[in-house]
Amino acid sequence: MLYLLICIFFLGPISIKAEETLFDNFDSMPKERWEFISDQVMGGVSHGNVKFFSSSSQSFARMTGNVSTKNNGGFIQFRRMLTSYCKKNKQGFKLKVRGNGNEYFLHIRTTATFLPWQYYQAAFSTTDKWEIVKIPLINFKPSGILLPARINAEKIRSVGIVAFGKNHEARVDVQNISVY
């Protein structure tokens, strides 16, 4: 187990199936890889946090907070920057999630998203039970007309879990993220 954790931390993701690559399972110092961001960076009033939990049986990230659309705001997120984790042949993301029944979003940024407000977005729903969610890259929508319509997996530079777009209390847990 220690060898596996060392490989993940120092060498990057490992194959968990022939066609699937583990991106993160929130073991081994996730605070060093993930950052919390809210709309307060642009004058919004949403607030929250991300916490990381680990036990002998599972590790996961939990984002909680209050999303407010006041003051042109409306999001909280936790995000991880990438270097070269995605290969050209990857088709999408697979997440193990649970939450409070709200809809959440996976945001990705690529080498084409130069401006801070540019991203690609795909929605996923949550329940209070752990569920596997698969999101093909073709389901991601660009945030504006200046972005290419299709995503090249090799150009992905960050992944974020986002509570977005409406006034609500957020609570979403993520146990792992893979690319397939």
Side-chain angles (χ1 to χ4, degrees), residues 105-167:
F105 298 88
L106 187 62
H107 281 194
I108 56 178
R109 291 180 51 83
T110 69
T111 55
T113 55
F114 297 110
L115 302 172
W117 53 86
Q118 293 178 316
Y119 53 85
Y120 291 87
Q121 169 179 277
F124 63 92
S125 296
T126 62
T127 70
D128 62 350
K129 306 237 183 311
W130 287 112
E131 296 180 336
I132 302 294
V133 175
K134 289 182 90 171
I135 307 173
L137 290 179
I138 60 171
N139 286 9
F140 284 83
K141 306 293 183 224
S143 63
I145 59 172
L146 299 176
L147 295 174
R150 295 203 164 240
I151 299 169
N152 177 343
E154 289 180 308
K155 306 290 185 183
I156 296 172
R157 293 298 173 249
S158 73
V159 174
I161 305 296
V162 185
F164 173 78
K166 65 180 182 179
N167 297 322

Side-chain angles (χ1 to χ4, degrees), residues 6 11-12 17 23 33 37 47 61 66 69 77 86 97 102 105 110 112 121 123 133 141 147 165-166 168 170 174 179:
I6 290 170
L11 301 177
K17 287 185 187 175
F23 171 65
R33 296 184 302 276
I37 304 166
H47 59 85
N66 182 29
T69 56
Q77 73 171 300
C86 294
V97 298
N102 279 324
F105 298 88
T110 69
Q121 169 179 277
V133 175
K141 306 293 183 224
L147 295 174
K166 65 180 182 179
H168 69 284
V174 183
V179 290

Side-chain angles (χ1 to χ4, degrees), residues 57-111:
S57 62
Q58 69 179 352
S59 296
F60 63 93
R62 172 175 288 159
M63 182 174 66
T64 58
N66 182 29
V67 179
S68 172
T69 56
K70 290 180 183 173
N71 228 24
N72 292 318
F75 76 89
I76 60 173
Q77 73 171 300
F78 66 107
R79 176 174 73 182
R80 178 178 172 182
M81 304 304 288
L82 308 177
T83 53
S84 60
Y85 292 103
C86 294
K87 302 292 183 206
K88 188 174 187 170
N89 65 342
K90 296 302 181 184
Q91 301 297 307
F93 288 89
K94 179 178 162 184
L95 300 85
K96 188 170 184 181
V97 298
R98 70 180 175 194
N100 60 357
N102 279 324
E103 181 178 67
Y104 295 94
F105 298 88
L106 187 62
H107 281 194
I108 56 178
R109 291 180 51 83
T110 69
T111 55

Side-chain angles (χ1 to χ4, degrees), residues 15-21 89-90 179-180:
S15 290
I16 56 177
K17 287 185 187 175
E19 72 281 350
E20 198 172 293
T21 303
N89 65 342
K90 296 302 181 184
V179 290
Y180 65 90

